Amino acid sequence: NDHPSAKPTYDFYDTVTLGKTAIANGELISQRNNGPSPEFPDGSTMWHWHSPERIASYLVENSIGSFDLTERLASSGIQYYEAQDSAIPPDQAAANRTIMDMQEDIVNFQSMFNGPFPFTTDGVVIGVPDASFDEEMQTKITFASGQIDLDTLNHENMHQWWGDNVSEANYNLTFFKEGLATLGEYLFAARNAQTAAGGPGTP
């Protein structure tokens, strides 16, 4: 009912034109190709995503497009998904991938302050349109304009604990989750300063 305290679980079933990719919250359960039909003369693919964790409606992610999608299972048991629009130039896509690959390290670092990661999956979706902002969609953080930056990734990933797992009771408490996500940026800055000074445990 469009309120942050109302959080059901979700299953997403997207039937899309063959060659297109559907991405949603949680884990990819199946991907099945279908033959031609009146609705899809050239064939279609049905994607099934499942979120075992409850989601506030404003954090629901369901994008369809020409995405290059990869997934990997970390030693922690968390499944990481990375998706980029195939129209992103190769050099930018490579730079994006370098930052996306740091998400597992960010999760491990932020877990020192927040406790264990609350979800079975995490991930990033980078689209081409200029949405003028990025968003902490639960387990599928979205970035606009075809690029990602490390500072914002630290901010949005912090939201997975604060705003996503722990939700505000009402919209007038949004400052609480945004304050903690901003703290995530400062912790990132402090971590960089510590590294530049020689690293933990050094004089």
Side-chain angles (χ1 to χ4, degrees):
N1 62 0
D2 197 28
H3 193 275
S5 67
K7 299 172 64 174
T9 59
Y10 283 84
D11 276 272
F12 303 84
Y13 297 90
D14 291 310
T15 300
V16 302
T17 301
L18 190 67
K20 297 295 183 181
T21 301
I23 301 172
N25 308 81
E27 55 200 49
L28 179 60
I29 301 299
S30 64
Q31 173 189 350
R32 188 186 74 220
N33 291 336
N34 306 306
S37 69
E39 296 86 1
F40 298 95
D42 297 322
S44 63
T45 302
M46 189 180 80
W47 298 76
H48 175 200
W49 293 82
H50 168 70
S51 173
E53 300 95 7
R54 302 184 305 141
I55 310 174
S57 60
Y58 78 97
L59 296 170
V60 168
E61 160 67 11
N62 195 202
S63 293
I64 296 167
S66 299
F67 290 105
D68 298 318
L69 174 66
T70 62
E71 60 181 279
R72 60 183 173 81
L73 183 64
S75 59
S76 62
I78 299 171
Q79 190 86 22
Y80 287 90
Y81 295 90
E82 297 179 356
Q84 296 194 70
D85 193 295
S86 58
I88 297 173
D91 288 352
Q92 182 63 55
N96 291 341
R97 194 173 303 109
T98 297
I99 294 177
M100 288 193 292
D101 287 346
M102 297 179 185
Q103 189 173 29
E104 181 181 355
D105 179 66
I106 292 171
V107 166
N108 294 338
F109 174 69
Q110 293 179 341
S111 294
M112 296 167 56
F113 306 94
N114 299 321
F117 191 69
F119 306 126
T120 58
T121 64
D122 202 8
V124 172
V125 180
I126 304 178
V128 169
D130 181 8
S132 77
F133 66 96
D134 306 303
E135 187 66 43
E136 73 272 15
M137 315 309 280
Q138 186 166 306
T139 72
K140 296 293 183 301
I141 300 169
T142 59
F143 287 84
S145 305
Q147 57 186 358
I148 183 175
D149 71 88
L150 196 51
D151 194 59
T152 304
L153 180 56
N154 274 267
H155 176 106
E156 304 300 350
N157 203 78
M158 190 80 163
H159 271 306
Q160 301 304 304
W161 283 271
W162 306 108
D164 293 27
N165 183 48
V166 177
S167 300
E168 62 268 43
N170 208 339
Y171 286 115
N172 64 346
L173 298 175
T174 297
F175 74 92
F176 179 73
K177 72 182 186 80
E178 291 301 334
L180 283 162
T182 300
L183 174 62
E185 296 181 55
Y186 284 109
L187 290 172
F188 171 59
R191 184 187 192 189
N192 287 339
Q194 181 190 56
T195 301
T202 66

